[in-house]
């Protein structure tokens, strides 16, 4: 930390200047003599213990106050406060009881469809037919019919054609691994091509480059790791990410994994775009990257990329555009006949972009592309172990071995879709989204968050608990997302919602449910919706963490 050393240097210089004067020196000595006289009333051991004790306490305090951590001081103090409160036995007992009750309820609902699990490997391998029988049986557990378009996001196209194509290609490349570029030169070329095609969509310049990854999260992790390394090279001890509260939490994950500092800024309450004034104010000497989304996950709003990029240029920091969700929609919007402000490498200052092939690219899960404006940034995401006993080892991304099959299947999907295919899907998805947004903004009692133009529509209410709407939509078979801060729900529009009648049904169902709820605006929310509502009001967020961790534990019950 530079400022600490500046402080030390200033103190030393100040003292030096003082002691040059003979009178001051004598005065100081006589003062010290007084101190000696005063301290003779204490025993030596008392002085030693007091000094050591005081040093330890001050050091601990300085650690809490001045430590550069992922989370800001206010968050750390709040956490410490609740940790202390939990020492009270009655509080602890009550929390434990409530947690157990909540988790027991969750377990019941998650495992309700599960059949009896096998506890160990069959002593003798099954025949192929028996294995297929087993999967047939297990598949019976999945009862939600997503093909009718009642699910938000999750399944983006899944046409039979694509299933056939991707599984055939997967089969042919099932054992391939780009870690061995010599064995699988075709996979190497396919990955290079997928990256090149995506760069072309985002108008990457001659120096632009990228790699494929296993998903949006890995793309974001790698970009943040690259910016952290750039920060280290500049001598920044804890490189900082500045992002809005609407940015995907994969950036929080990156900050935790890579021990970076995380500074969240608010969004404009009306437009739901990042608050540029707050972002500008948050930029510090430790900042290495600003994040903008195109669009963001909660309410599907595109941030003002050009303005964020200007800040990036002005403060000489990177600008990452998270287009994980919109990656295969926004590049086609203009050609599909919609307005779209520049959001890609055409905007000077944008230094990296993440785009998920496994969302609107319609490729199988486990694929995404991370792109950079220059090769020197991509270098910063690589890992090289030059001294490993296993040989000189270098990988572009987090994984060692990678699924060449997924690269091939993604490559095949992109080729099959072609530019015209994506322009077509973009037309359908954006038209449907804008139609749903327009219709829902006419429904009294609720409002659409911001002005969604791409592929997500978020809805909230100022008059009643929106989670009551959420609950009633579940009763009608919908699987939409519940969001918090502010309480809201969203539909992520996929190809399945563009089919005749699906969007109309959604709008109709929401209108009917809202009318029911609005007739008794003060009624309380029960069931699943209540969880969302209540969880936001719990001040001790570690309780929510424990519930979430318990939830993940349940997923591994056998
Ligand atoms: C989905 C998503 C991510 C994370 O991608 P995963 O593929 O789920 O890891 C990041 N940002 C946005 C905006 C997303 O929608
Ligand atoms: C998936 O996309 C293709 C190509 O645009 C389209 O023909 C097909 O109808 C889509 N499938 C679904 C299930 O929407």
């Amino acid at each position: 930390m530079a400022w600490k050393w500046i402080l030390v240097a200033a103190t030393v210089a100040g003292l030096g200047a003082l002691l040059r004067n003979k009178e001051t020196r004598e005065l100081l000595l006589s003062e010290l003599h007084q101190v000696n006289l005063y301290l003779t009333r204490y025993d030596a051991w008392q002085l030693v213990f007091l000094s050591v004790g005081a040093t330890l306490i001050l050091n601990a305090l300085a650690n809490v106050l001045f430590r550069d951590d992922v989370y800001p001081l206010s968050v750390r103090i709040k956490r410490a406060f609740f940790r202390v409160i939990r020492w009270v036995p009655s509080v602890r007992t009550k929390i434990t009881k409530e947690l157990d009750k909540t988790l027991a309820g969750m377990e019941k609902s998650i495992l309700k469809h599960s059949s009896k699990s096998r506890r160990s490997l069959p002593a003798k391998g099954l025949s192929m037919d028996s294995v297929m029988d087993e999967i047939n049986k297990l598949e019976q557990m999945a009862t939600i019919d997503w093909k009718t378009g009642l699910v938000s996001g999750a399944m983006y196209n899944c046409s039979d054609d694509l299933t056939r194509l991707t599984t055939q290609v997967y089969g042919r490349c099932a054992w391939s691994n780009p870690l061995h570029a010599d064995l699988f030169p075709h996979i190497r070329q396919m990955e290079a091509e997928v990256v090149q095609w995506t760069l072309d969509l985002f108008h990457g310049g001659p120096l632009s480059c990228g790699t494929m990854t296993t998903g949006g999260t890995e793309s974001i992790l790698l970009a943040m790791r690259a910016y952290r390394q750039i920060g280290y090279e500049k001598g920044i001890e804890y490189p900082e990410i500045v992002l809005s509260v609407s940015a995907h939490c994969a950036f929080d994950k990156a900050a935790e994994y890579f021990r970076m500092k995380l500074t969240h800024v608010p969004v404009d309450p009306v437009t739901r775009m990042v608050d540029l004034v707050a972002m500008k104010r948050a930029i510090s000497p430790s900042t290495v990257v600003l994040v903008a989304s195109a669009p963001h996950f909660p309410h599907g709003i595109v941030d003002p990329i050009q303005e964020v990029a200007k800040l990036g240029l002005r403060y000489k920091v990177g600008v990452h555009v998270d287009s994980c969700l919109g990656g295969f929609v926004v590049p086609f919007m203009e050609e599909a006949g919609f307005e779209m402000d520049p959001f890609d490498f055409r905007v000077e200052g944008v230094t990296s972009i993440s785009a998920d092939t496994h969302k609107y690219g319609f490729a199988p899960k486990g694929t995404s592309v991370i792109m950079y404006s220059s090769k020197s940034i991509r270098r910063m995401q690589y890992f090289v172990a030059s001294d490993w006993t296993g040989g000189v080892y270098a990988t572009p991304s987090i994984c060692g071995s990678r699924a060449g099959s997924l690269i091939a299947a993604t490559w095949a999907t992109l080729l099959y879709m072609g530019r015209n295919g994506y322009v077509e899907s973009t037309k359908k998805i954006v038209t449907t989204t804008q139609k749903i947004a327009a219709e829902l903004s006419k429904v009294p009692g609720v409002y659409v968050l911001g002005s969604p133009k791409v592929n997500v529509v978020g809805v909230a209410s100022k008059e009643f608990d929106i989670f009551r709407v959420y609950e009633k939509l579940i009763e009608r078979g919908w699987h939409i997302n519940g969001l918090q801060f502010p309480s809201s729900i969203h539909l992520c529009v996929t190809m399945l919602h563009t089919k005749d009648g699906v969007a109309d049904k959604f709008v109709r169902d929401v209108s009917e449910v809202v009318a029911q709820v609005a007739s008794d605006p003060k009624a309380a929310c029960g069931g699943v919706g209540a969880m969302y509502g209540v969880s936001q009001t719990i001040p001790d967020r570690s309780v929510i963490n424990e519930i979430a961790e318990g939830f993940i534990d349940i997923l591994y019950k056998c």
Side-chain angles (χ1 to χ4, degrees), residues 157-159 162 362 417 421 424-425 428 495-496 498-499:
N157 175 295
C158 315
S159 68
L162 275 178
F362 308 141
M417 289 294 297
E424 209 45 50
S425 57
K428 289 182 178 163
M495 285 305 281
L496 299 154
T498 65
K499 291 191 189 144

Side-chain angles (χ1 to χ4, degrees), residues 75 78-86 95 99 535 538-550:
V75 173
K78 209 172 96 180
R79 284 186 187 172
F81 171 76
F82 285 113
R83 248 198 322 273
V84 172
I85 289 211
R86 284 230 209 161
I95 291 181
L99 277 179
S535 88
I538 296 178
D540 181 359
R541 305 309 292 170
S542 71
V543 173
I544 310 295
N545 283 23
E546 280 186 52
I547 295 175
E549 286 159 8

Side-chain angles (χ1 to χ4, degrees), residues 203-400:
H203 299 95
L207 298 176
S208 66
C209 58
T211 70
M212 281 187 75
T213 68
T214 57
T217 300
E218 194 189 350
S219 289
I220 289 169
L221 288 177
L222 287 169
M224 295 306 108
R225 201 274 195 163
Y227 291 115
R228 187 194 69 169
Q229 299 307 95
I230 291 173
Y232 281 174
E233 289 197 344
K234 287 185 186 160
I236 301 169
E237 202 173 351
Y238 295 103
E240 176 190 33
I241 307 168
V242 175
L243 75 176
S244 87
V245 291
S246 59
H248 196 275
C249 64
F251 294 97
D252 300 44
K253 199 181 218 176
E256 280 205 7
Y257 280 11
F258 304 137
R259 211 168 188 301
M260 298 173 80
K261 209 170 146 186
L262 197 59
T263 302
H264 278 114
V265 299
V267 291
D268 180 284
V270 175
T271 65
R272 312 306 299 176
M273 291 176 188
V274 58
D275 179 338
L276 288 163
V277 177
M279 180 168 254
K280 178 167 175 260
R281 221 179 288 137
I283 298 171
S284 77
S286 302
T287 305
V288 287
V289 61
L290 311 176
V291 175
S293 310
H296 59 63
F297 172 83
H299 307 126
I301 306 299
V302 179
D303 283 322
I305 311 284
Q306 288 168 298
E307 304 306 315
V308 175
K310 269 189 206 141
L311 288 178
L313 283 176
R314 179 157 160 204
Y315 293 95
K316 297 195 171 54
V317 294
V319 171
H320 181 88
V321 174
D322 178 10
S323 198
C324 283
L325 193 57
F328 284 80
V329 180
V330 284
F332 303 105
M333 282 192 51
E334 268 189 294
E335 199 172 328
F338 305 99
E339 268 179 39
M340 182 74 200
D341 289 332
F343 56 90
D344 56 18
F345 289 119
R346 279 173 295 183
V347 180
E348 201 195 344
V350 169
T351 48
S352 56
I353 303 178
S354 48
D356 285 357
T357 37
H358 71 187
K359 286 176 182 160
Y360 290 88
F362 308 141
K365 286 287 172 287
T367 61
S368 168
V369 180
I370 176 69
M371 295 168 275
Y372 300 101
S373 60
S374 100
K375 302 217 165 35
S376 60
I377 313 179
R378 182 173 63 180
R379 279 275 174 103
M380 299 287 174
Q381 82 165 45
Y382 295 167
F383 171 81
V384 180
S386 48
D387 300 335
W388 184 36
T389 48
V392 176
Y393 181 94
T395 58
S397 57
I398 294 179
C399 300

